[in-house]
């Protein structure tokens, strides 16, 4: 009885004590039945420090009943489902440091000129001024340098707090501005673990006074999931032309994969980003089979994928 009243007071439970008792029995059974991972799900969704208390039981049920359909698997990251008339690779052609972008986004808005029509899409003379954010350059800025070489009217803002450089260091050449700032799902002036300055995309755009970014490139080693999730509240995705980067499936078990696929579906269904390029990163990943709900079939993918998205709406 005491447990019931405490739970009712803290959670706003409006149902009878009998309903609470029945729910407690079901939860206890599922927790101690090793067939289900309910204990871990409950800890993550209801009792962890980061968990939102409201609606936690609904989220637990969503995770337990989650199934990935074959159609979702193909639309999310298996098949290309957005048209790009000219995909260009910038930076290294084979190894890490090179990225495939959609050159369509670098065409000028004034397309009536016969001269422009006869030019190649990637011709620098076609390009209007553009803004590019490049998150995670490590020791290889070949992508950033190649982009400003091809489109001199563009400015690249490069971000990486891990390379021992200070904001404003002019070591990347003309039209490339460096910031010792990392990207994540929330602002942290002093990351307790590494001492880095971390900001959200929305905060960075406000800091630089930008209302539109033609291209966002990110290679942020797993932080992309929190970053993408934060866009739902800020609406910053509406200010992005297209997006390229790596996604890292942090865990290949159902618990981690649920959240990651849910965020990918958010990118497609709510943000309007569709895949125009997909490539397996064979060097830094391993294959794994993802089961989906249509029978006992599985989809083979990799723990690290290089993807390109266009915002089609």
């Amino acid at each position: 009885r005491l447990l019931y009243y405490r739970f009712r007071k803290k959670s706003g439970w409006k149902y009878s004590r009998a309903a609470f008792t029945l729910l407690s029995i079901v939860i206890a059974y599922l927790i101690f039945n090793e067939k289900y991972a309910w204990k871990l799900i409950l800890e993550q969704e209801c009792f962890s420090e980061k968990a939102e208390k409201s609606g936690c039981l609904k989220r637990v049920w969503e995770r337990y009943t989650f199934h990935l359909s074959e159609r979702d698997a193909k639309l999310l990251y298996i098949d290309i489902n957005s048209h790009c008339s000219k995909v260009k690779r910038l930076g290294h052609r084979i190894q890490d440091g090179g990225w495939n972008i959609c050159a369509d986004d670098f065409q000028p808005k004034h397309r009536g000129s016969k001269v422009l029509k006869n030019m190649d899409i990637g011709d620098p003379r076609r390009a209007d001024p553009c803004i590019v954010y490049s998150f995670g350059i490590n020791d290889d800025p070949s992508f950033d340098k190649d982009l400003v070489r091809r489109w001199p009217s563009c400015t690249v803002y490069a971000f990486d707090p891990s390379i021992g450089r200070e904001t404003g260091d002019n070591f990347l050449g003309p039209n490339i501005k460096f910031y010792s700032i990392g990207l994540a799902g929330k602002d942290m002036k002093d990351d307790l673990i590494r001492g880095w300055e971390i900001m959200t995309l929305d905060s960075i755009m406000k800091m630089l006074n930008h209302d539109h970014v033609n291209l966002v490139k990110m290679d942020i080693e797993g932080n992309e999931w929190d970053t993408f999730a934060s866009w739902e509240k800020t609406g910053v995705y509406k200010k992005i032309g297209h997006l390229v980067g790596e996604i890292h499936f942090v865990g290949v078990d159902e618990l981690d994969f649920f959240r990651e696929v849910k965020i990918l579906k958010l990118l497609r269904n709510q943000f309007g980003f569709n895949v125009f390029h997909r490539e397996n990163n064979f060097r830094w990943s391993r294959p794994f089979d993802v089961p989906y709900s249509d029978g006992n079939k599985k989809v083979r993918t990799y723990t690290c994928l290089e993807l390109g998205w266009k915002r089609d709406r």
Side-chain angles (χ1 to χ4, degrees), residues 134-181:
S134 177
F135 294 98
I137 62 173
N138 200 0
D139 58 352
D140 185 1
S142 59
F143 168 82
D144 313 82
K145 292 182 177 181
D146 199 6
L147 190 144
V148 296
R149 180 181 64 82
R150 289 174 179 269
W151 291 283
S153 59
C154 292
T155 302
V156 174
Y157 296 80
F159 302 85
D160 199 323
S162 69
I163 60 175
R165 294 277 188 171
E166 297 295 328
T167 295
D169 280 1
N170 186 20
F171 68 100
L172 295 173
N175 291 5
I176 304 177
K177 300 181 180 181
F178 177 77
Y179 293 82
S180 182
I181 298 172

Side-chain angles (χ1 to χ4, degrees), residues 1 36 54-55 71 73 79 81 101 105 116-117 122 126 141 144 147 178 193 202 209 212 216 222 255 266 282 286 292:
R1 181 183 298 178
Y36 305 103
S54 60
R71 178 179 178 274
D79 285 352
N81 65 314
I101 71 165
D105 199 42
L116 290 176
K117 286 183 178 180
R126 291 186 60 109
D144 313 82
L147 190 144
F178 177 77
I193 299 176
D202 187 56
N209 198 27
H212 179 77
V216 173
L255 295 181
L266 190 69
F282 295 106
R286 67 184 190 277
Y292 55 86

Side-chain angles (χ1 to χ4, degrees), residues 7 10-11 23 27 31 38-63:
F7 180 80
K10 289 187 176 182
S11 66
L23 177 64
I27 291 176
I31 288 175
W38 282 83
K39 183 177 181 180
L40 183 56
I41 295 177
L42 284 168
E43 287 177 353
Q44 292 179 347
E45 296 292 358
C46 298
F47 304 120
S48 69
E49 294 181 359
K50 297 181 180 180
E52 296 181 9
K53 303 306 178 186
S54 60
C56 74
L57 293 179
K58 179 181 178 182
R59 295 195 302 272
V60 169
W61 179 252
E62 286 178 348
R63 286 179 66 163

Side-chain angles (χ1 to χ4, degrees), residues 29 85 120 266 284:
Y29 168 76
S85 61
D120 183 84
L266 190 69
W284 299 110

Side-chain angles (χ1 to χ4, degrees), residues 33-288:
N33 189 335
E34 295 182 358
K35 182 179 178 181
Y36 305 103
W38 282 83
K39 183 177 181 180
L40 183 56
I41 295 177
L42 284 168
E43 287 177 353
Q44 292 179 347
E45 296 292 358
C46 298
F47 304 120
S48 69
E49 294 181 359
K50 297 181 180 180
E52 296 181 9
K53 303 306 178 186
S54 60
C56 74
L57 293 179
K58 179 181 178 182
R59 295 195 302 272
V60 169
W61 179 252
E62 286 178 348
R63 286 179 66 163
Y64 177 67
T65 58
F66 167 75
H67 292 288
L68 180 69
S69 70
E70 182 180 14
R71 178 179 178 274
D72 277 341
K74 289 182 176 180
L75 285 177
L76 288 171
Y77 57 89
I78 301 299
D79 285 352
I80 293 172
N81 65 314
S82 180
H83 175 69
C84 177
S85 61
K86 194 149 191 174
V87 176
K88 277 189 174 290
R89 186 167 182 85
L90 304 180
H92 284 298
R93 296 296 177 263
I94 300 177
Q95 66 190 65
D96 281 358
W99 300 89
N100 289 279
I101 71 165
C102 183
D104 298 358
D105 199 42
F106 291 84
Q107 295 185 64
K109 297 175 183 177
H110 49 281
R111 300 178 182 177
S113 170
K114 293 182 179 179
V115 177
L116 290 176
K117 286 183 178 180
N118 293 329
M119 288 181 186
D120 183 84
I121 288 177
D123 193 302
R125 292 171 291 174
R126 291 186 60 109
D128 285 335
C130 72
I131 294 173
V132 176
Y133 285 2
S134 177
F135 294 98
I137 62 173
N138 200 0
D139 58 352
D140 185 1
S142 59
F143 168 82
D144 313 82
K145 292 182 177 181
D146 199 6
L147 190 144
V148 296
R149 180 181 64 82
R150 289 174 179 269
W151 291 283
S153 59
C154 292
T155 302
V156 174
Y157 296 80
F159 302 85
D160 199 323
S162 69
I163 60 175
R165 294 277 188 171
E166 297 295 328
T167 295
D169 280 1
N170 186 20
F171 68 100
L172 295 173
N175 291 5
I176 304 177
K177 300 181 180 181
F178 177 77
Y179 293 82
S180 182
I181 298 172
L183 180 67
K186 63 180 181 180
D187 295 329
M188 292 180 284
K189 283 296 182 183
D190 187 8
D191 183 359
L192 296 177
I193 299 176
R194 295 158 294 195
W196 297 343
E197 183 177 5
I198 306 294
M199 297 178 70
T200 65
L201 181 61
D202 187 56
S203 296
I204 290 173
M205 291 185 69
K206 288 177 180 177
M207 177 186 73
L208 298 176
N209 198 27
H210 293 153
D211 57 10
H212 179 77
V213 179
N214 297 74
L215 167 66
V216 173
K217 182 226 83 181
M218 61 173 67
D219 184 7
I220 52 178
E221 306 303 329
N223 281 328
E224 63 271 10
W225 302 113
D226 289 338
T227 298
F228 292 150
S230 71
W231 294 358
E232 184 177 17
K233 292 182 179 179
T234 63
V236 71
Y237 61 89
K238 300 175 184 177
K239 303 175 183 179
I240 300 171
H242 77 284
L243 170 70
V244 297
E246 278 188 347
I247 61 169
H248 307 79
F249 291 113
V250 179
V252 296
D253 58 31
E254 291 185 6
L255 295 181
D256 292 313
F257 195 71
F258 169 84
R259 177 175 182 265
E260 293 157 1
V261 169
K262 189 175 181 181
I263 292 172
L264 288 175
K265 292 178 76 171
L266 190 69
L267 276 175
R268 185 195 75 201
N269 297 335
Q270 184 168 326
F271 299 171
F273 284 104
N274 291 305
V275 177
F276 71 85
H277 172 78
R278 176 190 187 275
E279 186 175 331
N280 300 324
N281 188 325
F282 295 106
R283 183 180 180 186
W284 299 110
S285 68
R286 67 184 190 277
F288 72 101

